[in-house]
């Protein structure tokens, strides 16, 4: 029997005009990490965010987080508070700067940074060491974190927040865009994100000066001189004009992608509505608007009578990809020395959670295969 085509968790979905912008770059020989596509893509992103913000497009979301830490002066001997339940790219740039991550557990509503444990961690570090230099809070799976509570604590202790909005382009909290709450925010356009430039990212900045400073860091920190002169450490992190051409085409279909991903979320809600012990991850209330980058479920094996792993393997038989939720950073071998504040919320999410196919390019036939296989399993 030939194998059925693979249904991916989230795969690139071109809108149609990407190639046109790339062809323009070739025609005009703008094959460089600057050019008309970079400027146009940045302008589109700036207009898209509410309130309008300043954007520096970069080679990756990881590079964006790194340059945020660099500009906040994070260095050897510093500590940075970071959500534990996330992708490793949220935390790795802390290490690049020679600083230490302090991991914070999640709360159960948004699965993001728990305000209570954040404050406990700050108090502990003030008493035993010194004030942490920054807070990295993540809008995981597109779900906004508890914006008001997290930022109230950050303000009370005067610690800047870096938003990791890599998964949350198009998500909002009380109609304000994710990516505009922090001192800086990182976006990602990696291959599996809601829009892609094949690989790429951006740093959202509060002012034009801050954007220009980010671009300077990202282009080897060249001073204004006819020769090559450098007064600070530089990085080679700028986005290429080819990748930005893909980004321009993707911005034209971003809202469509979001609408479709939200439909996938409704599809799973319908599918599991009568299954005890399975909870589809959703917004806590109307203040939250998630782009539902990935739809996810929590399987409580005691009530459901099966584990998320059993469901994952059943889907795999039909060549349908699904994946456990992020493994928390404080449980990763690499970060085993790091401090952690919290209980077992993130750990339980990892044990019981599963991400399901959520791409904006899934067809009716794909949905039918997913639905049939899940129904077969539940029977
Ligand atoms: C994808 C992602 C990143 C990193 O973005 P890249 O563009 O892949 O470097 C950072 N944080 C989170 C939560 C992500 O999902």
């Amino acid at each position: 029997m030939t194998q059925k085509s693979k249904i991916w968790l989230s795969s690139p979905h071109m809108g149609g005009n990407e190639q046109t912008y790339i062809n323009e770059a070739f025609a005009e020989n703008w094959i460089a990490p600057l050019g008309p596509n970079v400027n146009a893509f940045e302008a589109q992103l700036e207009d898209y965010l509410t309130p309008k913000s300043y954007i520096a497009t970069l080679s990756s979301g990881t590079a964006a987080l790194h340059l945020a830490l660099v500009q906040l002066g994070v260095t050897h001997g510093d500590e940075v508070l970071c959500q534990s339940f996330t992708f490793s790219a949220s935390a790795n740039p802390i290490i690049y700067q020679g600083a230490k991550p302090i991991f914070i557990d999640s709360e159960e509503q948004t699965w993001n940074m728990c305000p209570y444990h954040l404050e406990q961690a700050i108090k502990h570090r003030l008493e035993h060491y010194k004030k942490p230099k920054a807070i990295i809070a993540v809008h995981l799976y597109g779900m906004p974190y508890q914006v008001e509570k997290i930022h109230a604590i950050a303000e009370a202790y005067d610690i800047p927040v870096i938003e990791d909005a890599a998964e949350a382009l198009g998500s909002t909290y009380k109609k304000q865009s994710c990516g505009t709450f922090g001192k800086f925010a990182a976006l990602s356009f990696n291959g599996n994100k809601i829009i892609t430039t094949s690989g790429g990212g951006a740093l959202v900045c509060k002012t034009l000066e801050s954007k220009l400073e980010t671009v300077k860091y990202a282009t080897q920190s060249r001073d204004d001189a006819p020769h090559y002169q450098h007064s600070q450490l530089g990085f080679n992190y700028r986005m290429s004009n080819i990748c930005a051409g893909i980004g321009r085409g993707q911005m034209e279909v971003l809202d469509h992608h979001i609408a479709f991903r939200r439909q996938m979320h409704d599809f799973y809600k319908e599918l599991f509505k009568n299954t005890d012990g399975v909870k589809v991850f959703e917004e806590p209330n109307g203040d939250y608007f998630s782009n539902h980058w990935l739809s996810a479920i929590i399987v409580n094996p005691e009530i459901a009578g099966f584990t998320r792993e059993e469901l994952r393997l059943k889907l795999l038989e039909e060549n349908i990809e699904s994946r456990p939720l992020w493994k928390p950073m404080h449980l990763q071998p690499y970060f085993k020395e790091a401090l952690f504040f919290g209980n077992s919320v993130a750990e339980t999410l990892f044990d019981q959670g599963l991400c399901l196919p959520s791409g904006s390019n899934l067809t009716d036939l794909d949905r039918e295969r997913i639905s049939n296989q899940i129904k077969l399993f539940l029977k």
Side-chain angles (χ1 to χ4, degrees), residues 60-62 65 86-87 89-90 138 140 164 166-167 188 190 193 200 326:
S60 71
T62 311
L65 289 165
T86 186
F87 179 43
S90 305
V138 189
L140 212 61
D164 182 341
E167 302 177 358
S188 169
N190 207 338
K193 297 287 154 68
W326 297 119

Side-chain angles (χ1 to χ4, degrees), residues 16-78:
N17 288 333
E18 290 83 359
Q19 202 115 44
T20 313
Y21 299 118
I22 293 177
N23 289 343
E24 278 174 25
F26 273 74
E28 293 157 15
N29 205 30
W30 278 110
I31 318 290
L34 79 169
N37 284 337
V38 171
N39 299 339
F41 183 36
E42 286 180 345
Q44 282 171 311
L45 286 163
E46 289 174 354
D47 286 341
Y48 187 79
L49 295 179
T50 312
K52 192 170 154 66
S53 301
Y54 293 90
I55 300 271
T57 51
L58 303 170
S59 52
S60 71
T62 311
L65 289 165
H66 190 191
L67 289 188
L69 293 174
V70 166
Q71 292 180 83
L72 292 175
V74 172
T75 186
H76 288 270
D78 287 336

